Amino acid sequence: MAVPISQMFTVSSYVIAQKLKGVKRYPLVLMLEPIFRCNLACAGCGKIQYPDHVLDRRLTPEQCWAAADECGAPIVSIPGGEPLIHPEMPEIVRGLVERKKYVYLCTNAILLERKIEEYQPSKYLTFSIHMDGLRDEHDLAVCRDGVYDVAVKAIKTALKKGFRVTTNTTLFDDANPDRVRKFFDEMMGLGVEGMMISPGYSYDKAPDQNSFLKRDRTRELFSKLLSNRKRTWQFNQSPLFLEFLMGKRDYECTPWGNPTYNVFGWQKPCYLLQDGYVSDFSTLLNETDWEKYGTGRNDKCKDCMVHCGYEASAVEATFSSWSGFTGTVKATLFPNAT
């Protein structure tokens, strides 16, 4: 099983509690960005295009903990930039773990072996290693040779030291399904807990604007990837979200499910779009005009099928009806059923 029982129980209890209280909009995962600076310059990234005076800014541990407390989501994902560059990241993580938040520290792993002694293994901490395919594909995606081998070595070290390790993979229009399926074999062969996959993020500021997936192409690609799935493959994601990517299900976006907090404040409306910032989570949740966003309502959202907008939708579907629950069980136990 890709997700530990304790984490599944925590998330399920949290969602059920929100539904019993009649809460319509609630966060599931806090996207916490303490720093935008990175030690790579990936062609598909829009976070590193800020001027130096922004890239030099970073959130304090106190700001990070306050955002987690204010938001209340049971899971905190820490993307970037490259979080391991932040000199106070070990302290930030310790504070979140003390709050019993399930932390996914997203890293390209270049610094992981050097920094790993600053962290303690915990069921609440997962190193989520950014891997965009086999060696050739990954090194091309991150625009630097040799990074794949560095990341694989770091994964082995983290696993040996008892850390939870997952991979996160962003796929673009040029992805080769056969190569990606072989990549899944390679990652599971390393012993990672599970894999996370998502179509390429359509960042306005990304240098490469030609490789982002359109909706039809996303469904075509993920159907090829996830049909006739191997039992050895474990995905650290909602099984209904994977079916959504394959075109088997359709959901509306729930951007409030993965709210973003960074050096500018709470980002409206989601991790991918920047329509301004507010200073507190309550204002974000209650005063954002959510009806302006989502496929069919905003041109910028028309091709988006990304996890930060739709995985929370899939989780909500699991707990909204008996058919959603049984669909989740079926998709988990029999992923290749039609």
Side-chain angles (χ1 to χ4, degrees):
M1 185 176 294
V3 180
I5 293 293
S6 61
Q7 182 174 331
M8 293 176 61
F9 179 78
T10 297
V11 173
S12 298
S13 300
Y14 169 80
V15 173
I16 291 171
Q18 303 308 307
K19 299 190 76 63
L20 289 175
K21 291 186 288 188
V23 178
K24 181 180 179 181
R25 298 189 179 102
Y26 55 88
L28 188 65
V29 179
L30 168 61
M31 307 291 283
L32 179 65
E33 296 182 292
I35 190 170
F36 288 154
R37 188 171 290 282
C38 189
N39 48 7
L40 288 174
C42 304
C45 179
K47 296 293 182 179
I48 60 171
Q49 306 305 316
Y50 289 101
D52 282 341
H53 73 273
V54 173
L55 295 177
D56 287 339
R57 294 175 61 181
R58 58 180 185 256
L59 295 177
T60 66
E62 290 76 16
Q63 287 174 307
C64 294
W65 302 332
D69 292 340
E70 184 182 5
C71 174
I75 299 173
V76 178
S77 176
I78 307 180
E82 171 49 53
L84 295 185
I85 290 177
H86 196 304
E88 296 173 295
M89 186 53 59
E91 184 180 355
I92 291 170
V93 168
R94 281 194 294 272
L96 294 172
V97 167
E98 288 173 0
R99 287 164 170 76
K100 297 186 177 180
K101 303 294 183 181
Y102 285 91
V103 179
Y104 284 81
L105 184 55
C106 306
T107 173
N108 57 39
I110 291 175
L111 297 174
L112 184 54
E113 284 198 281
R114 190 189 314 171
K115 302 273 191 177
I116 199 166
E117 297 298 334
E118 300 174 10
Y119 299 87
Q120 295 296 320
S122 167
K123 71 176 183 179
Y124 293 107
L125 173 60
T126 301
F127 286 115
S128 179
I129 313 299
H130 183 74
M131 301 291 286
D132 279 344
L134 295 168
R135 181 181 290 104
D136 290 347
E137 289 85 349
H138 181 70
D139 287 354
L140 179 63
V142 303
C143 304
R144 186 186 298 180
D145 292 340
V147 177
Y148 178 88
D149 291 331
V150 171
V152 166
K153 188 169 181 288
I155 288 172
K156 292 178 179 179
T157 296
L159 289 170
K160 186 176 181 180
K161 290 182 176 293
F163 287 94
R164 293 179 60 191
V165 180
T166 60
T167 60
N168 68 82
T169 301
T170 304
L171 297 173
F172 294 91
D173 189 59
D174 59 352
N176 180 302
D178 291 335
R179 293 280 292 174
V180 177
R181 288 173 67 92
K182 185 178 179 181
F183 164 73
F184 292 162
D185 290 336
E186 291 286 331
M187 293 301 101
M188 296 311 302
L190 291 175
V192 301
E193 178 180 293
M195 303 175 288
M196 292 180 275
I197 53 176
S198 186
Y201 309 162
S202 185
Y203 286 117
D204 286 342
K205 292 185 177 183
D208 179 4
Q209 289 292 318
N210 298 318
S211 297
F212 294 119
L213 289 160
K214 305 298 183 184
R215 275 204 158 210
D216 288 345
R217 171 62 176 147
T218 295
R219 296 186 181 106
E220 176 190 0
L221 173 61
F222 281 86
S223 290
K224 291 178 180 178
L225 292 177
L226 299 175
S227 296
N228 194 24
R229 202 175 310 171
K230 295 186 180 181
R231 285 286 181 181
T232 54
W233 296 351
Q234 297 292 325
F235 293 95
N236 199 278
Q237 292 176 287
S238 161
L240 296 189
F241 174 67
L242 298 180
E243 292 195 343
F244 165 74
L245 292 178
M246 298 171 71
K248 292 184 176 182
R249 297 178 181 272
D250 193 23
Y251 297 121
E252 291 188 5
C253 175
T254 53
W256 55 84
N258 287 45
T260 297
Y261 184 76
N262 58 38
V263 296
F264 297 121
W266 293 97
Q267 181 172 307
K268 297 171 55 177
C270 70
Y271 185 65
L272 301 180
L273 296 185
Q274 296 180 6
D275 277 0
Y277 295 85
V278 296
S279 60
D280 61 272
F281 179 69
S282 178
T283 299
L284 174 74
L285 200 62
N286 297 316
E287 297 186 16
T288 301
D289 186 0
W290 299 110
E291 299 304 318
K292 289 173 51 180
Y293 303 103
T295 303
R297 297 193 294 269
N298 191 308
D299 189 60
K300 292 182 178 180
C301 305
K302 66 180 180 180
D303 289 313
C304 182
M305 296 181 72
V306 177
H307 66 280
C308 62
Y310 289 95
E311 185 143 25
S313 307
V315 173
E316 168 69 15
T318 296
F319 294 94
S320 293
S321 66
W322 177 248
S323 63
F325 176 76
T326 56
T328 300
V329 173
K330 180 180 178 182
T332 302
L333 298 178
F334 308 103
N336 293 321
T338 57

